[in-house]
Amino acid sequence: MIEVIDTEHCTACDICVSVCPTNVFDKTDGIPRIARQSDCQTCFLCELYCPEDALFVSPFADAPQTVDVAALKEATLLGSYRRAVGWVEESRHLRAADRSYRLFGH
Amino acid sequence: MTNSPGRAEKLSSSAGSVVYDADVLVLGGGPAGTWAAISAAEQGARVVLADKGFCGTSGATAAAGTGVWYVDPVPERREAAMASREKLGGYLQDRRWMARVLDRTYAQSNQLADWGYPYPDDDDGRPQRNSLQGPEYMRLMRKRTKQAGVTILDHSPALELLVDGNGVVAGAAGLRRQKGDRWVVNAKAVVIATGGCAFLSKTLGSNVLTGDGYLLAAEAGAEFTSMEFSNAYAISPAFGSVTKTLFYSWASFTDEQGSVIPGASSKGGRSVIARALRKGPVYAQLDQADAATQRHMRASQPNFFLPFDRTGIDPFTQRFPITLRLEGTVRGTGGLRIIDDSCATTVPGLYAAGDAATRELICGGFTGGGSHNAAWAMSSGYWAGHGAAEFARQLGTTIGRQAFRRGAVGLRSGNGRPLQGGALARSVQDEVFPYELNYFREAGRLGESLARLDALWLDASTADAPSEQELLRGREAAAMLATARWMYRSALARQESRGMHRRDDYPGQDDRYLHFVTTGGLDEVWTSARPLASAQYAEAAE
Ligand SMILES: Cc1cc2nc3c(=O)[nH]c(=O)nc-3n(C[C@H](O)[C@H](O)[C@H](O)COP(=O)(O)OP(=O)(O)OC[C@H]3O[C@@H](n4cnc5c(N)ncnc54)[C@H](O)[C@@H]3O)c2cc1C
Ligand code: SF4
Ligand code: SF4
């Protein structure tokens, strides 16, 4: 489930409010609010669209977890999915890294 | 508001709702819906696409990514591709449809390449087009849908269809949940591309998929088929949502003590896992993947590794607990019955595509892995959009046509008690999640479950509409309930095991059931047998 909006980096662009398929976030005057956490489907897509790597989705789908933002940063987990799919400048080559054709038919 | 001639027109935005006028309305913006919208727009239709979530991130494909049934047009390869699935699907498939889907998927995939989808090249420099990264694919599809002139309504779930006095579909109405008002689209044809029903099981990307399109189509009189093939369960880490199963082909499965569970496997031994899970925890470890394979896995499915990397588990060297999450008709094959090559349903002006439509024609009674669903979504989307645009063109002017709202359950006033969507959804889950009810089916258990589901329906269909905030939840729960009843009635009617449908009381395949089961109805659910397409042709030739 979505656990964190990192207030230090969030620019209140509201992209996450638009892209979350299950409408988990609400707009505010500033940083969006995680308004309906239990509706989160743990799809990780808000992380991909957040331009500031300010969101963290815990992989636990059924229960909220306590997470420590400092530790997440330490472990470079913020933005890790975005980097892995090539949605940041430094890793653009990964967009075409799919090797599924080597794995199908096993 | 000014409109270019090809755009759907926004008529007014008074009295708590916006009204649009379009030729074609597409409900759902996954692959099927976006391909349908683009294809209708290419025919010159003015198109509106409404999605419950956000077109581009919503639905099973955007979150999961898919293998695609992309086969080079070499006759032997095509033949092998078709033949390889016939036994699994229980010989219900239709060769003519398989060939058409292979052709269409090939064309659409190559179109994606022209549009700039970053397909990889293999070591010999040949492009490889049998896999699509979900977020990348659907981001591109959103862009192309907009460029085609389609008006996209995000966070705008459809609630009900509009139908004219002759029973012809005339549009739909729904909510704009982030604006707190309603939308109405008057349209000459509607494509249902709302995906399947995964019963809010949190299988990857699928909590938006609650069978809404089935319910609103059924209220307009549409029929369903192959709804017994609706018990797909997918493996995921016990705590997580990532139900991507390909890599479990490299796994060993063990019990609490660490002993290998005999016969357990991702392919062909998943029922063994289900049985073991009824007794206790089951663990997996991808210990059969060598270093090169591990590298390919990481490159190919980055999201598979999120649950592991974020909990400090190395899935190649450590075992982790797994579970099976219900995917219902998302990786099942049941859905709206289509009656011709343009994916028309039995209701005039209503078309169906993707998981919302049956996949029996190419998958028979089994899918889940194997890339057919993705191929079906792009092919059926293309055909349905085309068909809907053609229907709209032939209909001509609809000025002065009266349209009636067909929605019932959860939308009208009733006995004074409001429909409780949350509680109802949980009650439905209690009937469809348990392996002993849905994975392993048996007449007595199915019958008892159906009695409970029918009672829930009686209750729901006489309830009041809930408050505006709870409206969507209420309709979703009602759609799940209706879906469960079509599933189990069809499952009772098929007194054999075939495809993914397994009956403890009829463990073998029985040739007397080499037909499709059609179903439908809301207050009264009915089923009937329907001959295979191939049998119909044989009859016509006699
Ligand atoms: C984990 C996972 C892995 C998969 N892997 C594969 C694979 O490898 N190969 C393969 O072929 N298939 C695979 N599938 C299946 C494949 O994802 C689906 O067949 C495909 O997404 C179907 O496309 P669709 O457009 O019909 O539905 P979806 O992609 O599910 O989109 C449906 C859309 O309808 C919208 N919607 C729902 N209700 C409403 C409403 N009331 N009003 C408006 N909009 C609504 C949703 O928000 C969503 O955007 C997988 C599925 C899952 C869950
Ligand atoms: S997308 Fe990221 S930066 Fe933008 S509002 Fe959301 S959390 Fe903040
Ligand atoms: S993980 Fe998915 S469902 Fe959860 S908040 Fe992010 S986008 Fe929304």
Side-chain angles (χ1 to χ4, degrees), chain B residues 67-73 78 81-82 85 93-110 338 340-343 352-354 357-364 370-384:
Chain B
V68 182
W69 204 32
Y70 178 93
V71 182
D72 288 329
R78 290 274 171 101
M82 293 192 278
R85 300 287 292 202
Q93 297 93 327
D94 183 75
R95 277 285 175 126
R96 190 180 68 84
W97 274 91
M98 291 169 114
R100 302 182 69 219
V101 167
L102 282 167
D103 282 344
R104 189 36 60 192
T105 301
Y106 188 76
Q108 301 313 97
S109 302
N110 295 341
I338 55 182
D340 66 15
D341 283 6
S342 72
C343 297
T358 180
R359 279 140 286 157
E360 68 193 8
L361 296 160
I362 61 162
C363 301
S371 320
H372 296 65
N373 295 315
W376 175 252
M378 51 176 82
S379 304
S380 61
Y382 175 85
W383 291 319

Short mmCIF file of all heavy atoms in Angstrom, two decimals, chain B residues 67-73 78 81-82 85 93-110 338 340-343 352-354 357-364 370-384:
data_model
loop_
_atom_site.label_atom_id
_atom_site.label_comp_id
_atom_site.label_asym_id
_atom_site.label_seq_id
_atom_site.Cartn_x
_atom_site.Cartn_y
_atom_site.Cartn_z
N GLY B 67 2.67 -10.70 -21.96
CA GLY B 67 3.15 -11.39 -23.14
C GLY B 67 2.07 -11.25 -24.20
O GLY B 67 0.90 -11.08 -23.88
N VAL B 68 2.45 -11.27 -25.45
CA VAL B 68 1.48 -11.07 -26.54
C VAL B 68 1.60 -12.23 -27.54
O VAL B 68 2.71 -12.64 -27.89
CB VAL B 68 1.73 -9.72 -27.26
CG1 VAL B 68 0.71 -9.49 -28.36
CG2 VAL B 68 1.71 -8.57 -26.28
N TRP B 69 0.46 -12.71 -28.00
CA TRP B 69 0.41 -13.83 -28.94
C TRP B 69 0.78 -13.31 -30.33
O TRP B 69 -0.06 -13.20 -31.21
CB TRP B 69 -0.99 -14.42 -28.92
CG TRP B 69 -1.09 -15.85 -29.35
CD1 TRP B 69 -0.16 -16.84 -29.18
CD2 TRP B 69 -2.22 -16.46 -30.00
NE1 TRP B 69 -0.65 -18.02 -29.68
CE2 TRP B 69 -1.90 -17.82 -30.18
CE3 TRP B 69 -3.47 -15.99 -30.43
CZ2 TRP B 69 -2.80 -18.71 -30.79
CZ3 TRP B 69 -4.35 -16.87 -31.01
CH2 TRP B 69 -4.01 -18.22 -31.20
N TYR B 70 2.06 -12.98 -30.47
CA TYR B 70 2.57 -12.41 -31.71
C TYR B 70 3.36 -13.50 -32.40
O TYR B 70 4.38 -13.96 -31.89
CB TYR B 70 3.48 -11.22 -31.36
CG TYR B 70 4.15 -10.54 -32.55
CD1 TYR B 70 3.55 -9.46 -33.17
CD2 TYR B 70 5.38 -10.98 -33.02
CE1 TYR B 70 4.17 -8.82 -34.24
CE2 TYR B 70 6.01 -10.36 -34.09
CZ TYR B 70 5.39 -9.27 -34.69
OH TYR B 70 6.00 -8.65 -35.75
N VAL B 71 2.86 -13.96 -33.50
CA VAL B 71 3.50 -15.07 -34.20
C VAL B 71 3.72 -14.67 -35.65
O VAL B 71 2.79 -14.21 -36.32
CB VAL B 71 2.61 -16.34 -34.14
CG1 VAL B 71 3.30 -17.52 -34.82
CG2 VAL B 71 2.26 -16.69 -32.70
N ASP B 72 4.94 -14.82 -36.11
CA ASP B 72 5.25 -14.46 -37.50
C ASP B 72 4.31 -15.19 -38.46
O ASP B 72 3.94 -16.33 -38.21
CB ASP B 72 6.70 -14.84 -37.83
CG ASP B 72 7.69 -13.90 -37.14
OD1 ASP B 72 7.33 -12.72 -36.94
OD2 ASP B 72 8.78 -14.36 -36.77
N PRO B 73 3.94 -14.53 -39.55
CA PRO B 73 2.99 -15.15 -40.47
C PRO B 73 3.60 -16.25 -41.33
O PRO B 73 3.54 -16.21 -42.55
CB PRO B 73 2.50 -13.96 -41.32
CG PRO B 73 3.59 -12.96 -41.26
CD PRO B 73 4.31 -13.16 -39.96
N ARG B 78 2.21 -20.53 -37.32
CA ARG B 78 0.83 -20.19 -36.95
C ARG B 78 0.07 -21.46 -36.59
O ARG B 78 -0.67 -21.49 -35.61
CB ARG B 78 0.13 -19.47 -38.11
CG ARG B 78 0.66 -18.06 -38.38
CD ARG B 78 -0.06 -17.07 -37.48
NE ARG B 78 0.53 -15.74 -37.52
CZ ARG B 78 0.04 -14.70 -38.22
NH1 ARG B 78 -1.04 -14.86 -38.96
NH2 ARG B 78 0.62 -13.52 -38.17
N ALA B 81 1.12 -22.61 -33.22
CA ALA B 81 0.61 -21.72 -32.18
C ALA B 81 -0.85 -22.03 -31.86
O ALA B 81 -1.27 -22.03 -30.70
CB ALA B 81 0.75 -20.26 -32.61
N MET B 82 -1.60 -22.33 -32.88
CA MET B 82 -3.02 -22.63 -32.66
C MET B 82 -3.19 -24.00 -32.02
O MET B 82 -3.93 -24.17 -31.06
CB MET B 82 -3.80 -22.54 -33.97
CG MET B 82 -3.87 -21.12 -34.52
SD MET B 82 -5.03 -20.91 -35.86
CE MET B 82 -4.06 -21.47 -37.25
N ARG B 85 -2.63 -24.91 -28.03
CA ARG B 85 -3.52 -24.53 -26.93
C ARG B 85 -4.86 -25.28 -26.96
O ARG B 85 -5.67 -25.10 -26.06
CB ARG B 85 -3.80 -23.03 -27.03
CG ARG B 85 -2.58 -22.20 -26.94
CD ARG B 85 -2.03 -22.17 -25.55
NE ARG B 85 -2.92 -21.46 -24.64
CZ ARG B 85 -2.55 -20.92 -23.49
NH1 ARG B 85 -1.30 -21.02 -23.10
NH2 ARG B 85 -3.41 -20.29 -22.73
N GLN B 93 -12.16 -23.95 -28.79
CA GLN B 93 -11.75 -22.82 -29.62
C GLN B 93 -12.23 -22.94 -31.06
O GLN B 93 -12.64 -24.01 -31.49
CB GLN B 93 -10.21 -22.71 -29.70
CG GLN B 93 -9.53 -22.44 -28.39
CD GLN B 93 -9.09 -23.71 -27.71
OE1 GLN B 93 -9.74 -24.76 -27.82
NE2 GLN B 93 -8.00 -23.64 -27.00
N ASP B 94 -12.11 -21.82 -31.73
CA ASP B 94 -12.51 -21.77 -33.12
C ASP B 94 -11.32 -21.34 -33.97
O ASP B 94 -10.78 -20.25 -33.79
CB ASP B 94 -13.66 -20.77 -33.26
CG ASP B 94 -14.18 -20.72 -34.68
OD1 ASP B 94 -14.88 -21.67 -35.06
OD2 ASP B 94 -13.86 -19.76 -35.41
N ARG B 95 -10.92 -22.20 -34.89
CA ARG B 95 -9.72 -21.94 -35.70
C ARG B 95 -9.81 -20.65 -36.51
O ARG B 95 -8.84 -19.94 -36.68
CB ARG B 95 -9.50 -23.10 -36.68
CG ARG B 95 -8.78 -24.27 -36.05
CD ARG B 95 -7.32 -23.93 -35.90
NE ARG B 95 -6.62 -24.98 -35.21
CZ ARG B 95 -5.53 -25.60 -35.67
NH1 ARG B 95 -5.05 -25.28 -36.85
NH2 ARG B 95 -4.94 -26.51 -34.96
N ARG B 96 -10.99 -20.35 -37.03
CA ARG B 96 -11.13 -19.16 -37.85
C ARG B 96 -10.85 -17.91 -37.02
O ARG B 96 -10.14 -17.01 -37.44
CB ARG B 96 -12.55 -19.10 -38.44
CG ARG B 96 -12.73 -18.03 -39.51
CD ARG B 96 -14.16 -18.01 -40.05
NE ARG B 96 -15.11 -17.56 -39.06
CZ ARG B 96 -15.38 -16.26 -38.82
NH1 ARG B 96 -14.78 -15.32 -39.52
NH2 ARG B 96 -16.27 -15.93 -37.91
N TRP B 97 -11.37 -17.90 -35.80
CA TRP B 97 -11.13 -16.75 -34.92
C TRP B 97 -9.68 -16.69 -34.48
O TRP B 97 -9.10 -15.62 -34.36
CB TRP B 97 -12.05 -16.82 -33.69
CG TRP B 97 -13.40 -16.22 -33.93
CD1 TRP B 97 -14.51 -16.87 -34.39
CD2 TRP B 97 -13.78 -14.85 -33.74
NE1 TRP B 97 -15.57 -15.98 -34.49
CE2 TRP B 97 -15.14 -14.75 -34.10
CE3 TRP B 97 -13.11 -13.71 -33.30
CZ2 TRP B 97 -15.85 -13.54 -34.03
CZ3 TRP B 97 -13.81 -12.51 -33.22
CH2 TRP B 97 -15.16 -12.43 -33.58
N MET B 98 -9.07 -17.86 -34.22
CA MET B 98 -7.67 -17.83 -33.82
C MET B 98 -6.82 -17.22 -34.94
O MET B 98 -5.96 -16.37 -34.68
CB MET B 98 -7.18 -19.26 -33.52
CG MET B 98 -7.79 -19.88 -32.28
SD MET B 98 -7.39 -21.66 -32.22
CE MET B 98 -6.36 -21.73 -30.82
N ALA B 99 -7.10 -17.61 -36.16
CA ALA B 99 -6.32 -17.09 -37.29
C ALA B 99 -6.52 -15.58 -37.45
O ALA B 99 -5.58 -14.84 -37.69
CB ALA B 99 -6.73 -17.83 -38.57
N ARG B 100 -7.76 -15.15 -37.29
CA ARG B 100 -8.02 -13.70 -37.40
C ARG B 100 -7.30 -12.92 -36.30
O ARG B 100 -6.83 -11.82 -36.52
CB ARG B 100 -9.45 -13.31 -37.17
CG ARG B 100 -10.57 -13.61 -37.69
CD ARG B 100 -11.94 -13.20 -37.47
NE ARG B 100 -12.23 -11.85 -37.87
CZ ARG B 100 -13.02 -11.05 -37.18
NH1 ARG B 100 -13.58 -11.46 -36.07
NH2 ARG B 100 -13.24 -9.85 -37.58
N VAL B 101 -7.30 -13.48 -35.08
CA VAL B 101 -6.65 -12.76 -33.97
C VAL B 101 -5.13 -12.73 -34.20
O VAL B 101 -4.48 -11.72 -33.95
CB VAL B 101 -7.02 -13.40 -32.62
CG1 VAL B 101 -6.11 -12.88 -31.51
CG2 VAL B 101 -8.48 -13.10 -32.28
N LEU B 102 -4.58 -13.83 -34.70
CA LEU B 102 -3.13 -13.82 -34.98
C LEU B 102 -2.79 -12.77 -36.02
O LEU B 102 -1.82 -12.03 -35.88
CB LEU B 102 -2.68 -15.22 -35.44
CG LEU B 102 -2.51 -16.24 -34.31
CD1 LEU B 102 -2.39 -17.66 -34.88
CD2 LEU B 102 -1.31 -15.90 -33.44
N ASP B 103 -3.61 -12.67 -37.06
CA ASP B 103 -3.37 -11.66 -38.10
C ASP B 103 -3.47 -10.25 -37.53
O ASP B 103 -2.63 -9.40 -37.78
CB ASP B 103 -4.43 -11.77 -39.22
CG ASP B 103 -4.12 -12.92 -40.17
OD1 ASP B 103 -2.98 -13.41 -40.15
OD2 ASP B 103 -5.04 -13.32 -40.91
N ARG B 104 -4.51 -10.01 -36.78
CA ARG B 104 -4.79 -8.67 -36.28
C ARG B 104 -3.74 -8.25 -35.24
O ARG B 104 -3.26 -7.12 -35.24
CB ARG B 104 -6.21 -8.65 -35.70
CG ARG B 104 -6.82 -7.33 -35.29
CD ARG B 104 -6.48 -6.12 -36.12
NE ARG B 104 -6.87 -6.18 -37.52
CZ ARG B 104 -6.44 -5.30 -38.43
NH1 ARG B 104 -5.63 -4.31 -38.11
NH2 ARG B 104 -6.82 -5.43 -39.68
N THR B 105 -3.35 -9.19 -34.40
CA THR B 105 -2.36 -8.90 -33.36
C THR B 105 -1.02 -8.55 -34.00
O THR B 105 -0.30 -7.64 -33.56
CB THR B 105 -2.20 -10.10 -32.42
OG1 THR B 105 -3.47 -10.38 -31.83
CG2 THR B 105 -1.19 -9.83 -31.31
N TYR B 106 -0.70 -9.25 -35.05
CA TYR B 106 0.53 -8.99 -35.79
C TYR B 106 0.50 -7.55 -36.33
O TYR B 106 1.44 -6.78 -36.15
CB TYR B 106 0.65 -10.02 -36.92
CG TYR B 106 1.96 -9.98 -37.65
CD1 TYR B 106 3.11 -10.52 -37.07
CD2 TYR B 106 2.05 -9.44 -38.93
CE1 TYR B 106 4.32 -10.49 -37.74
CE2 TYR B 106 3.26 -9.42 -39.61
CZ TYR B 106 4.39 -9.95 -39.01
OH TYR B 106 5.59 -9.92 -39.68
N ALA B 107 -0.63 -7.20 -36.94
CA ALA B 107 -0.75 -5.85 -37.52
C ALA B 107 -0.70 -4.77 -36.43
O ALA B 107 0.00 -3.76 -36.58
CB ALA B 107 -2.05 -5.74 -38.31
N GLN B 108 -1.43 -4.98 -35.34
CA GLN B 108 -1.48 -3.94 -34.29
C GLN B 108 -0.11 -3.79 -33.62
O GLN B 108 0.31 -2.69 -33.28
CB GLN B 108 -2.53 -4.26 -33.23
CG GLN B 108 -3.97 -4.40 -33.73
CD GLN B 108 -4.42 -3.30 -34.63
OE1 GLN B 108 -4.38 -3.45 -35.85
NE2 GLN B 108 -4.86 -2.19 -34.07
N SER B 109 0.58 -4.91 -33.41
CA SER B 109 1.89 -4.83 -32.76
C SER B 109 2.88 -4.08 -33.65
O SER B 109 3.68 -3.27 -33.16
CB SER B 109 2.44 -6.24 -32.47
OG SER B 109 1.53 -6.96 -31.68
N ASN B 110 2.81 -4.33 -34.92
CA ASN B 110 3.71 -3.62 -35.83
C ASN B 110 3.35 -2.13 -35.89
O ASN B 110 4.23 -1.28 -36.02
CB ASN B 110 3.68 -4.26 -37.22
CG ASN B 110 4.25 -5.68 -37.17
OD1 ASN B 110 4.95 -6.03 -36.21
ND2 ASN B 110 3.94 -6.50 -38.15
N ILE B 338 -20.45 -12.38 -27.93
CA ILE B 338 -20.44 -11.59 -29.15
C ILE B 338 -20.97 -12.45 -30.29
O ILE B 338 -20.80 -13.67 -30.30
CB ILE B 338 -19.03 -11.05 -29.46
CG1 ILE B 338 -18.02 -12.17 -29.52
CG2 ILE B 338 -18.59 -10.03 -28.42
CD1 ILE B 338 -16.62 -11.68 -29.78
N ASP B 340 -20.89 -11.56 -33.84
CA ASP B 340 -20.37 -11.49 -35.21
C ASP B 340 -18.92 -11.02 -35.21
O ASP B 340 -18.34 -10.78 -34.15
CB ASP B 340 -21.25 -10.60 -36.10
CG ASP B 340 -21.23 -9.13 -35.69
OD1 ASP B 340 -20.32 -8.74 -34.92
OD2 ASP B 340 -22.11 -8.38 -36.13
N ASP B 341 -18.35 -10.88 -36.39
CA ASP B 341 -16.94 -10.55 -36.51
C ASP B 341 -16.60 -9.15 -36.03
O ASP B 341 -15.43 -8.82 -35.84
CB ASP B 341 -16.48 -10.69 -37.97
CG ASP B 341 -16.28 -12.16 -38.35
OD1 ASP B 341 -16.62 -13.03 -37.52
OD2 ASP B 341 -15.80 -12.42 -39.47
N SER B 342 -17.63 -8.30 -35.84
CA SER B 342 -17.35 -6.94 -35.37
C SER B 342 -17.50 -6.84 -33.86
O SER B 342 -17.48 -5.74 -33.31
CB SER B 342 -18.26 -5.94 -36.07
OG SER B 342 -19.59 -6.07 -35.58
N CYS B 343 -17.65 -7.97 -33.17
CA CYS B 343 -17.77 -8.01 -31.71
C CYS B 343 -19.04 -7.32 -31.22
O CYS B 343 -19.06 -6.72 -30.13
CB CYS B 343 -16.53 -7.44 -31.02
SG CYS B 343 -15.05 -8.38 -31.38
N ALA B 352 -18.53 -5.32 -27.53
CA ALA B 352 -17.71 -5.70 -26.37
C ALA B 352 -16.31 -6.05 -26.83
O ALA B 352 -16.12 -6.61 -27.92
CB ALA B 352 -18.33 -6.88 -25.63
N ALA B 353 -15.32 -5.71 -26.00
CA ALA B 353 -13.93 -5.98 -26.36
C ALA B 353 -13.10 -6.29 -25.13
O ALA B 353 -13.46 -5.91 -24.01
CB ALA B 353 -13.34 -4.77 -27.09
N GLY B 354 -11.99 -6.98 -25.35
CA GLY B 354 -11.07 -7.30 -24.27
C GLY B 354 -11.67 -8.28 -23.28
O GLY B 354 -12.51 -9.12 -23.63
N ALA B 357 -15.39 -9.06 -22.94
CA ALA B 357 -15.99 -9.98 -23.90
C ALA B 357 -15.47 -11.39 -23.62
O ALA B 357 -14.45 -11.56 -22.96
CB ALA B 357 -15.62 -9.57 -25.32
N THR B 358 -16.16 -12.37 -24.11
CA THR B 358 -15.66 -13.73 -23.96
C THR B 358 -14.38 -13.93 -24.78
O THR B 358 -14.23 -13.33 -25.84
CB THR B 358 -16.70 -14.76 -24.42
OG1 THR B 358 -16.13 -16.07 -24.25
CG2 THR B 358 -17.07 -14.57 -25.89
N ARG B 359 -13.48 -14.74 -24.25
CA ARG B 359 -12.30 -15.13 -25.02
C ARG B 359 -12.36 -16.59 -25.44
O ARG B 359 -11.37 -17.20 -25.82
CB ARG B 359 -11.02 -14.86 -24.22
CG ARG B 359 -10.59 -13.41 -24.29
CD ARG B 359 -10.09 -12.92 -22.96
NE ARG B 359 -11.19 -12.73 -22.05
CZ ARG B 359 -11.07 -12.73 -20.71
NH1 ARG B 359 -9.92 -12.93 -20.16
NH2 ARG B 359 -12.14 -12.56 -19.96
N GLU B 360 -13.56 -17.17 -25.32
CA GLU B 360 -13.74 -18.59 -25.64
C GLU B 360 -13.34 -18.90 -27.09
O GLU B 360 -12.91 -20.02 -27.38
CB GLU B 360 -15.20 -19.00 -25.41
CG GLU B 360 -16.17 -18.36 -26.41
CD GLU B 360 -17.65 -18.47 -26.04
OE1 GLU B 360 -17.96 -18.92 -24.92
OE2 GLU B 360 -18.48 -18.11 -26.88
N LEU B 361 -13.49 -17.94 -27.98
CA LEU B 361 -13.26 -18.22 -29.40
C LEU B 361 -11.80 -18.54 -29.69
O LEU B 361 -11.50 -19.30 -30.59
CB LEU B 361 -13.71 -17.02 -30.24
CG LEU B 361 -15.22 -16.77 -30.13
CD1 LEU B 361 -15.58 -15.36 -30.54
CD2 LEU B 361 -15.99 -17.79 -30.97
N ILE B 362 -10.89 -17.97 -28.90
CA ILE B 362 -9.48 -18.28 -29.13
C ILE B 362 -8.85 -19.08 -27.99
O ILE B 362 -7.83 -19.70 -28.17
CB ILE B 362 -8.63 -17.02 -29.40
CG1 ILE B 362 -8.65 -16.06 -28.22
CG2 ILE B 362 -9.11 -16.32 -30.67
CD1 ILE B 362 -7.52 -15.05 -28.25
N CYS B 363 -9.46 -19.06 -26.81
CA CYS B 363 -8.87 -19.74 -25.65
C CYS B 363 -9.69 -20.94 -25.18
O CYS B 363 -9.21 -21.70 -24.33
CB CYS B 363 -8.76 -18.79 -24.46
SG CYS B 363 -7.76 -17.35 -24.77
N GLY B 364 -10.91 -21.09 -25.66
CA GLY B 364 -11.76 -22.13 -25.11
C GLY B 364 -11.97 -21.91 -23.63
O GLY B 364 -12.37 -20.83 -23.21
N GLY B 370 0.43 -17.24 -21.61
CA GLY B 370 0.23 -17.64 -22.99
C GLY B 370 -0.22 -16.53 -23.91
O GLY B 370 -0.42 -16.75 -25.09
N SER B 371 -0.40 -15.33 -23.36
CA SER B 371 -0.45 -14.14 -24.20
C SER B 371 -1.70 -13.94 -25.04
O SER B 371 -1.78 -13.02 -25.85
CB SER B 371 0.75 -14.13 -25.16
OG SER B 371 1.91 -14.57 -24.52
N HIS B 372 -2.70 -14.81 -24.85
CA HIS B 372 -3.89 -14.70 -25.69
C HIS B 372 -4.77 -13.53 -25.31
O HIS B 372 -5.42 -12.92 -26.15
CB HIS B 372 -4.71 -15.98 -25.60
CG HIS B 372 -3.97 -17.15 -26.13
ND1 HIS B 372 -2.83 -17.63 -25.55
CD2 HIS B 372 -4.20 -17.91 -27.22
CE1 HIS B 372 -2.38 -18.65 -26.25
NE2 HIS B 372 -3.19 -18.84 -27.27
N ASN B 373 -4.79 -13.22 -24.02
CA ASN B 373 -5.67 -12.14 -23.56
C ASN B 373 -5.25 -10.81 -24.15
O ASN B 373 -6.08 -10.00 -24.55
CB ASN B 373 -5.63 -12.05 -22.04
CG ASN B 373 -6.21 -13.30 -21.41
OD1 ASN B 373 -7.24 -13.78 -21.83
ND2 ASN B 373 -5.52 -13.82 -20.41
N ALA B 374 -3.95 -10.58 -24.16
CA ALA B 374 -3.44 -9.32 -24.70
C ALA B 374 -3.73 -9.24 -26.20
O ALA B 374 -4.11 -8.18 -26.72
CB ALA B 374 -1.94 -9.21 -24.45
N ALA B 375 -3.56 -10.35 -26.88
CA ALA B 375 -3.83 -10.40 -28.32
C ALA B 375 -5.32 -10.15 -28.58
O ALA B 375 -5.70 -9.42 -29.50
CB ALA B 375 -3.42 -11.76 -28.89
N TRP B 376 -6.14 -10.74 -27.74
CA TRP B 376 -7.59 -10.55 -27.86
C TRP B 376 -7.98 -9.10 -27.61
O TRP B 376 -8.80 -8.53 -28.32
CB TRP B 376 -8.32 -11.49 -26.89
CG TRP B 376 -9.79 -11.27 -26.88
CD1 TRP B 376 -10.53 -10.70 -25.89
CD2 TRP B 376 -10.72 -11.59 -27.94
NE1 TRP B 376 -11.86 -10.64 -26.25
CE2 TRP B 376 -12.00 -11.19 -27.49
CE3 TRP B 376 -10.59 -12.17 -29.20
CZ2 TRP B 376 -13.14 -11.35 -28.28
CZ3 TRP B 376 -11.74 -12.33 -29.98
CH2 TRP B 376 -12.99 -11.92 -29.52
N ALA B 377 -7.35 -8.48 -26.59
CA ALA B 377 -7.71 -7.09 -26.26
C ALA B 377 -7.43 -6.18 -27.45
O ALA B 377 -8.27 -5.36 -27.83
CB ALA B 377 -6.95 -6.63 -25.02
N MET B 378 -6.26 -6.33 -28.07
CA MET B 378 -5.98 -5.41 -29.18
C MET B 378 -6.80 -5.74 -30.42
O MET B 378 -7.26 -4.83 -31.12
CB MET B 378 -4.47 -5.29 -29.49
CG MET B 378 -3.69 -6.53 -29.68
SD MET B 378 -1.96 -6.14 -30.15
CE MET B 378 -1.19 -5.78 -28.59
N SER B 379 -7.03 -7.02 -30.66
CA SER B 379 -7.80 -7.40 -31.85
C SER B 379 -9.28 -7.05 -31.69
O SER B 379 -9.87 -6.39 -32.54
CB SER B 379 -7.68 -8.91 -32.10
OG SER B 379 -6.33 -9.28 -32.23
N SER B 380 -9.86 -7.49 -30.60
CA SER B 380 -11.30 -7.24 -30.41
C SER B 380 -11.56 -5.75 -30.25
O SER B 380 -12.60 -5.25 -30.69
CB SER B 380 -11.83 -8.02 -29.21
OG SER B 380 -11.18 -7.63 -28.02
N GLY B 381 -10.62 -5.03 -29.63
CA GLY B 381 -10.77 -3.58 -29.51
C GLY B 381 -10.84 -2.96 -30.89
O GLY B 381 -11.73 -2.15 -31.18
N TYR B 382 -9.92 -3.35 -31.74
CA TYR B 382 -9.89 -2.82 -33.10
C TYR B 382 -11.21 -3.11 -33.82
O TYR B 382 -11.83 -2.22 -34.42
CB TYR B 382 -8.71 -3.44 -33.86
CG TYR B 382 -8.65 -3.05 -35.31
CD1 TYR B 382 -8.03 -1.87 -35.71
CD2 TYR B 382 -9.22 -3.87 -36.28
CE1 TYR B 382 -8.00 -1.51 -37.05
CE2 TYR B 382 -9.20 -3.51 -37.61
CZ TYR B 382 -8.58 -2.34 -38.00
OH TYR B 382 -8.55 -1.98 -39.32
N TRP B 383 -11.68 -4.36 -33.73
CA TRP B 383 -12.92 -4.72 -34.44
C TRP B 383 -14.14 -4.02 -33.85
O TRP B 383 -15.01 -3.56 -34.58
CB TRP B 383 -13.12 -6.25 -34.40
CG TRP B 383 -12.12 -6.99 -35.20
CD1 TRP B 383 -11.63 -6.64 -36.43
CD2 TRP B 383 -11.46 -8.20 -34.83
NE1 TRP B 383 -10.71 -7.58 -36.85
CE2 TRP B 383 -10.59 -8.55 -35.89
CE3 TRP B 383 -11.52 -9.05 -33.73
CZ2 TRP B 383 -9.78 -9.69 -35.88
CZ3 TRP B 383 -10.73 -10.19 -33.69
CH2 TRP B 383 -9.86 -10.50 -34.76
N ALA B 384 -14.21 -3.98 -32.52
CA ALA B 384 -15.39 -3.39 -31.88
C ALA B 384 -15.48 -1.89 -32.20
O ALA B 384 -16.57 -1.37 -32.46
CB ALA B 384 -15.34 -3.62 -30.37
#
